[in-house]
Amino acid sequence: MTGSHRNIYFLPLGLLLAVAPLNAQDYTWPTEASRTITATFGDMRPRRYHSGFDISTNGGRGYEIYAVDGGYIERLLVSTQGYGKVIYLRLQDRRVVVYAHLQRFTQDLERLVYSAQQRRNRYTLDMRFKSTDLPVRQGDILGYTGDTGSISGPHLHFEIRDSRNQPMNPMQNGFTVEDDLRPVITALAVMPLSLETVAHGSSLPTVLAAVQSGPGSYRIPDTIAVTGPFGLALEAHDRIPETRYNMTVYGVSLMVDGRVRYSLQFDRFNFQEGPLVELERDYGLWRRDGEDFHRLFVSPGSESMSFIKPGSQGALELSPGYHRFAVKTWDQNGNVAVLRGVLANTPSSSLQASQEWSSEERGWIITLDSSTPLRKYDVFFFDIRGRQVETFSHRPGPEAGKRQRFLVPGQRGRNRVLQIVGVDRWGARLAPVHVSLIPLEEITQQRTFRLKMEQLDNGVVLQVSSDYYLPFGPEVLLRTAHGVRRYRTEMVSPVDFITRPLRPAELVNLEEVIVRVPLDPVYEVRLPQHSVVVPPNEHRELQDPEGYLHVEFRPGTFYDSTLVWYSRSKVKPPPGTDFVTPPVQIGPLNRPYKGPMGLSLMVPPNQLLPASTGIYYLDRKKGWIFMPPAVGVSRMERIRTRAYNTLATSGEIFALIKETDPPVIQPLRPGPGGTYPRRDLRSVRFNVRDEVAGLKDETAISLTIDGIPRIFEYNTNREVVNYTLPVLFDPGEHELVITAVDQVGNADTVRVTFNIE
């Protein structure tokens, strides 16, 4: 214990207030562990914001935590989930501070908690107190850091909230750290926001790397040419000395032609705004690559968020000509970084390419004809399977005209497809063109096609991919209940082709997608589709004709009209388990959900309802994750409908999985048949782990000692059960009985007999 920090004592609150510091924000740092921050206020979490900051404990547990100011303990929360062991301290300025994931409280508080657990016969507690019950003084020791609750490693999660219990940024409210490092800007995304928009040569979102030009200064080298409504998004992170973690920046603003178009600053928020993180950040880029981009425009649902400053606007639309933009980002200490670039609404340029074999040059002469002189062009070489093998760039001289030529030596170009991306005289990137150096007789007609649908901000795009180079863009035919519509595709790589963005309404009652390739003879693939368009405020359902799947969308599931589809997936089940029904992918994966969808997976009619079965989704990092069943569905109802039901708030790969392995129970101390001196055994410890379904919480475990049920602590991070003896064992033989049941009903029991000397 350090000199200015004291253990908690229960004092009259009136005396406490009489000695309150004059400056209510002259707070004590909350722990002795460190002043190293590993996560900040506003960090993105699944469907929520991080509501405080995390203080490193360097992987250790048991560091003291302190009352940052005088006040009283308003709440103690004890759980194996969420924040684990938590203290809510109401300060004398009426703010609330929160200390989470604690290992334990002080002895007085531990006795209070233990007594309540024994009375209520359960581990989980939520205890509330009056202002006169548990007063504290600034600097009092309240407890010790740990790793309880839903956590991946030891640290102190600390929050400060206003008088209404809404979170505020700790670093702007009395808890600062030294930081002289500027934020780092890594990329800018350009997002088309209408069917007609073409941004940086494409109707798809484009991510442009930021180039550093000086301390805190970045630029986008190419002019960003855009026609139609669009938005920008910034990828940036803050750095704090002596930590290796990337932090969320404190603020971001966008200026176009010297006028602020958007501004955001992470000062405070309302807990109900948590799911809106998927609107403030770019959800599609986060789902695709785990990239954290701040959108620099408001969209329906995000315009009234606490973080976003009044006057922030939506889509950008450029008048003809050039427009300078600057994206400024800053951290808690006022360190600034700026990204600059040029936007343009200029006459569109075109590029065409052709090839001719030259026996004299022993290679291909590639001719580029552009409507305006090219500033530069990049050439990408692909093999017949669509894999990029090399690239080069060329900048023509100022005297170069609208026609450019270059040589590809025969050996270098053999069986290659070239993709050429030009930049016109205004600095705008042109749509790519392709040149094939593969003889037609070597292009096989036996190929496999894959269809991918993706809903973007500007509509639904269908992508057709082939396993071999295809010299002609396939035609896509959509068969609905109202007839057949035809759509051309454009080549985006030698094996990938996309349609223009489509309105969701064009895909209502979609039954089949036909891919038609104009080879000789015509090659055609039919791909049955099952989809539904879900308006934001209407009820819709999606049903598998074979009866394995039913999805229900209630009003408020999505923020805007969304095309939802499903397809079979070829993924594998977890080791030692079996799929009860084939796994399905429900798309789109990249659109945020406003509310949950109801998901039902049905057992085939000729099968009995299997035991040890549940719905899982596939997380690309963690593997298969069990999904809790929907509340209010009885086993009799499940038997009658043959359905397992759950709620989901994102598109995923889902499966009905049967797994029969019980949890693994491993006694640590005492061990089976062990003999211990009476004073050496003061606690009971054992591991419980389940690799697939997992354990719900401590209620999935039971512990009896000599036939008497005991209330214990279960650490979900370390998968350890610990029971501290209130009194030492009597000499003689004793028996532990440990039972664990996973979330699909698999159970195991271990009996341990030991002796006390």
PDB file of all heavy atoms in Angstrom, residues 196-216:
ATOM      1  N   GLU A 196     -26.077   5.523 -59.871  1.00  0.00           N
ATOM      2  CA  GLU A 196     -25.349   6.104 -61.004  1.00  0.00           C
ATOM      3  C   GLU A 196     -23.939   6.548 -60.646  1.00  0.00           C
ATOM      4  O   GLU A 196     -23.152   6.886 -61.531  1.00  0.00           O
ATOM      5  CB  GLU A 196     -26.122   7.310 -61.557  1.00  0.00           C
ATOM      6  CG  GLU A 196     -27.483   6.967 -62.156  1.00  0.00           C
ATOM      7  CD  GLU A 196     -28.554   6.732 -61.092  1.00  0.00           C
ATOM      8  OE1 GLU A 196     -28.370   7.234 -59.952  1.00  0.00           O
ATOM      9  OE2 GLU A 196     -29.546   6.059 -61.391  1.00  0.00           O
ATOM     10  N   THR A 197     -23.588   6.564 -59.377  1.00  0.00           N
ATOM     11  CA  THR A 197     -22.302   7.119 -58.974  1.00  0.00           C
ATOM     12  C   THR A 197     -21.141   6.270 -59.492  1.00  0.00           C
ATOM     13  O   THR A 197     -21.149   5.041 -59.368  1.00  0.00           O
ATOM     14  CB  THR A 197     -22.209   7.206 -57.440  1.00  0.00           C
ATOM     15  OG1 THR A 197     -23.245   8.060 -56.954  1.00  0.00           O
ATOM     16  CG2 THR A 197     -20.861   7.775 -57.001  1.00  0.00           C
ATOM     17  N   VAL A 198     -20.146   6.946 -60.033  1.00  0.00           N
ATOM     18  CA  VAL A 198     -18.867   6.318 -60.366  1.00  0.00           C
ATOM     19  C   VAL A 198     -17.795   7.105 -59.620  1.00  0.00           C
ATOM     20  O   VAL A 198     -17.658   8.316 -59.809  1.00  0.00           O
ATOM     21  CB  VAL A 198     -18.589   6.338 -61.877  1.00  0.00           C
ATOM     22  CG1 VAL A 198     -17.201   5.768 -62.167  1.00  0.00           C
ATOM     23  CG2 VAL A 198     -19.658   5.549 -62.619  1.00  0.00           C
ATOM     24  N   ALA A 199     -17.084   6.407 -58.742  1.00  0.00           N
ATOM     25  CA  ALA A 199     -16.086   7.062 -57.907  1.00  0.00           C
ATOM     26  C   ALA A 199     -14.748   6.379 -58.106  1.00  0.00           C
ATOM     27  O   ALA A 199     -14.623   5.171 -57.898  1.00  0.00           O
ATOM     28  CB  ALA A 199     -16.501   7.012 -56.434  1.00  0.00           C
ATOM     29  N   HIS A 200     -13.761   7.151 -58.504  1.00  0.00           N
ATOM     30  CA  HIS A 200     -12.410   6.636 -58.744  1.00  0.00           C
ATOM     31  C   HIS A 200     -12.442   5.461 -59.728  1.00  0.00           C
ATOM     32  O   HIS A 200     -11.787   4.435 -59.546  1.00  0.00           O
ATOM     33  CB  HIS A 200     -11.752   6.223 -57.437  1.00  0.00           C
ATOM     34  CG  HIS A 200     -10.262   6.316 -57.453  1.00  0.00           C
ATOM     35  ND1 HIS A 200      -9.574   7.473 -57.731  1.00  0.00           N
ATOM     36  CD2 HIS A 200      -9.305   5.375 -57.232  1.00  0.00           C
ATOM     37  CE1 HIS A 200      -8.288   7.253 -57.682  1.00  0.00           C
ATOM     38  NE2 HIS A 200      -8.087   5.994 -57.392  1.00  0.00           N
ATOM     39  N   GLY A 201     -13.261   5.619 -60.752  1.00  0.00           N
ATOM     40  CA  GLY A 201     -13.308   4.639 -61.824  1.00  0.00           C
ATOM     41  C   GLY A 201     -14.140   3.416 -61.540  1.00  0.00           C
ATOM     42  O   GLY A 201     -14.077   2.448 -62.305  1.00  0.00           O
ATOM     43  N   SER A 202     -14.948   3.403 -60.471  1.00  0.00           N
ATOM     44  CA  SER A 202     -15.676   2.190 -60.132  1.00  0.00           C
ATOM     45  C   SER A 202     -16.994   2.540 -59.441  1.00  0.00           C
ATOM     46  O   SER A 202     -17.128   3.589 -58.804  1.00  0.00           O
ATOM     47  CB  SER A 202     -14.828   1.306 -59.206  1.00  0.00           C
ATOM     48  OG  SER A 202     -15.549   0.163 -58.793  1.00  0.00           O
ATOM     49  N   SER A 203     -17.951   1.624 -59.538  1.00  0.00           N
ATOM     50  CA  SER A 203     -19.205   1.740 -58.790  1.00  0.00           C
ATOM     51  C   SER A 203     -19.101   1.028 -57.449  1.00  0.00           C
ATOM     52  O   SER A 203     -20.061   1.018 -56.681  1.00  0.00           O
ATOM     53  CB  SER A 203     -20.365   1.143 -59.599  1.00  0.00           C
ATOM     54  OG  SER A 203     -20.108  -0.223 -59.902  1.00  0.00           O
ATOM     55  N   LEU A 204     -17.937   0.435 -57.166  1.00  0.00           N
ATOM     56  CA  LEU A 204     -17.699  -0.248 -55.902  1.00  0.00           C
ATOM     57  C   LEU A 204     -16.913   0.659 -54.959  1.00  0.00           C
ATOM     58  O   LEU A 204     -16.209   1.569 -55.404  1.00  0.00           O
ATOM     59  CB  LEU A 204     -16.903  -1.538 -56.128  1.00  0.00           C
ATOM     60  CG  LEU A 204     -17.499  -2.571 -57.076  1.00  0.00           C
ATOM     61  CD1 LEU A 204     -16.543  -3.759 -57.212  1.00  0.00           C
ATOM     62  CD2 LEU A 204     -18.858  -3.037 -56.585  1.00  0.00           C
ATOM     63  N   PRO A 205     -16.992   0.424 -53.642  1.00  0.00           N
ATOM     64  CA  PRO A 205     -16.142   1.180 -52.724  1.00  0.00           C
ATOM     65  C   PRO A 205     -14.671   0.960 -53.051  1.00  0.00           C
ATOM     66  O   PRO A 205     -14.251  -0.137 -53.413  1.00  0.00           O
ATOM     67  CB  PRO A 205     -16.495   0.596 -51.343  1.00  0.00           C
ATOM     68  CG  PRO A 205     -17.840  -0.021 -51.514  1.00  0.00           C
ATOM     69  CD  PRO A 205     -17.884  -0.512 -52.925  1.00  0.00           C
ATOM     70  N   THR A 206     -13.886   2.008 -52.914  1.00  0.00           N
ATOM     71  CA  THR A 206     -12.459   1.957 -53.207  1.00  0.00           C
ATOM     72  C   THR A 206     -11.688   2.456 -51.992  1.00  0.00           C
ATOM     73  O   THR A 206     -12.044   3.480 -51.403  1.00  0.00           O
ATOM     74  CB  THR A 206     -12.114   2.838 -54.422  1.00  0.00           C
ATOM     75  OG1 THR A 206     -12.880   2.406 -55.547  1.00  0.00           O
ATOM     76  CG2 THR A 206     -10.641   2.726 -54.761  1.00  0.00           C
ATOM     77  N   VAL A 207     -10.639   1.731 -51.621  1.00  0.00           N
ATOM     78  CA  VAL A 207      -9.791   2.131 -50.505  1.00  0.00           C
ATOM     79  C   VAL A 207      -8.466   2.625 -51.069  1.00  0.00           C
ATOM     80  O   VAL A 207      -7.787   1.912 -51.819  1.00  0.00           O
ATOM     81  CB  VAL A 207      -9.563   0.963 -49.523  1.00  0.00           C
ATOM     82  CG1 VAL A 207      -8.577   1.361 -48.426  1.00  0.00           C
ATOM     83  CG2 VAL A 207     -10.889   0.525 -48.902  1.00  0.00           C
ATOM     84  N   LEU A 208      -8.090   3.847 -50.696  1.00  0.00           N
ATOM     85  CA  LEU A 208      -6.872   4.478 -51.190  1.00  0.00           C
ATOM     86  C   LEU A 208      -5.884   4.644 -50.043  1.00  0.00           C
ATOM     87  O   LEU A 208      -6.243   5.162 -48.973  1.00  0.00           O
ATOM     88  CB  LEU A 208      -7.186   5.851 -51.786  1.00  0.00           C
ATOM     89  CG  LEU A 208      -8.268   5.877 -52.878  1.00  0.00           C
ATOM     90  CD1 LEU A 208      -8.595   7.308 -53.255  1.00  0.00           C
ATOM     91  CD2 LEU A 208      -7.809   5.090 -54.090  1.00  0.00           C
ATOM     92  N   ALA A 209      -4.656   4.214 -50.251  1.00  0.00           N
ATOM     93  CA  ALA A 209      -3.633   4.333 -49.217  1.00  0.00           C
ATOM     94  C   ALA A 209      -3.221   5.788 -49.055  1.00  0.00           C
ATOM     95  O   ALA A 209      -3.050   6.521 -50.033  1.00  0.00           O
ATOM     96  CB  ALA A 209      -2.425   3.477 -49.563  1.00  0.00           C
ATOM     97  N   ALA A 210      -3.066   6.221 -47.803  1.00  0.00           N
ATOM     98  CA  ALA A 210      -2.571   7.558 -47.514  1.00  0.00           C
ATOM     99  C   ALA A 210      -1.047   7.550 -47.553  1.00  0.00           C
ATOM    100  O   ALA A 210      -0.404   6.616 -47.053  1.00  0.00           O
ATOM    101  CB  ALA A 210      -3.062   8.022 -46.145  1.00  0.00           C
ATOM    102  N   VAL A 211      -0.462   8.580 -48.127  1.00  0.00           N
ATOM    103  CA  VAL A 211       0.990   8.708 -48.239  1.00  0.00           C
ATOM    104  C   VAL A 211       1.441   9.822 -47.306  1.00  0.00           C
ATOM    105  O   VAL A 211       0.950  10.963 -47.391  1.00  0.00           O
ATOM    106  CB  VAL A 211       1.411   9.022 -49.682  1.00  0.00           C
ATOM    107  CG1 VAL A 211       2.919   9.233 -49.760  1.00  0.00           C
ATOM    108  CG2 VAL A 211       0.973   7.892 -50.613  1.00  0.00           C
ATOM    109  N   GLN A 212       2.374   9.509 -46.397  1.00  0.00           N
ATOM    110  CA  GLN A 212       2.846  10.517 -45.459  1.00  0.00           C
ATOM    111  C   GLN A 212       3.813  11.461 -46.166  1.00  0.00           C
ATOM    112  O   GLN A 212       4.753  11.038 -46.832  1.00  0.00           O
ATOM    113  CB  GLN A 212       3.522   9.883 -44.253  1.00  0.00           C
ATOM    114  CG  GLN A 212       3.866  10.880 -43.157  1.00  0.00           C
ATOM    115  CD  GLN A 212       4.225  10.223 -41.841  1.00  0.00           C
ATOM    116  OE1 GLN A 212       4.379   9.009 -41.765  1.00  0.00           O
ATOM    117  NE2 GLN A 212       4.349  11.013 -40.788  1.00  0.00           N
ATOM    118  N   SER A 213       3.574  12.771 -45.987  1.00  0.00           N
ATOM    119  CA  SER A 213       4.420  13.775 -46.628  1.00  0.00           C
ATOM    120  C   SER A 213       5.171  14.632 -45.621  1.00  0.00           C
ATOM    121  O   SER A 213       5.935  15.511 -46.007  1.00  0.00           O
ATOM    122  CB  SER A 213       3.565  14.680 -47.522  1.00  0.00           C
ATOM    123  OG  SER A 213       2.476  15.224 -46.794  1.00  0.00           O
ATOM    124  N   GLY A 214       4.965  14.399 -44.336  1.00  0.00           N
ATOM    125  CA  GLY A 214       5.640  15.149 -43.289  1.00  0.00           C
ATOM    126  C   GLY A 214       5.053  14.772 -41.948  1.00  0.00           C
ATOM    127  O   GLY A 214       4.106  13.979 -41.869  1.00  0.00           O
ATOM    128  N   PRO A 215       5.573  15.302 -40.846  1.00  0.00           N
ATOM    129  CA  PRO A 215       5.022  14.981 -39.519  1.00  0.00           C
ATOM    130  C   PRO A 215       3.545  15.370 -39.432  1.00  0.00           C
ATOM    131  O   PRO A 215       3.186  16.539 -39.571  1.00  0.00           O
ATOM    132  CB  PRO A 215       5.879  15.827 -38.572  1.00  0.00           C
ATOM    133  CG  PRO A 215       7.139  16.116 -39.320  1.00  0.00           C
ATOM    134  CD  PRO A 215       6.734  16.217 -40.752  1.00  0.00           C
ATOM    135  N   GLY A 216       2.704  14.391 -39.260  1.00  0.00           N
ATOM    136  CA  GLY A 216       1.276  14.643 -39.151  1.00  0.00           C
ATOM    137  C   GLY A 216       0.614  15.081 -40.434  1.00  0.00           C
ATOM    138  O   GLY A 216      -0.545  15.517 -40.417  1.00  0.00           O
TER     139      GLY A 216
END
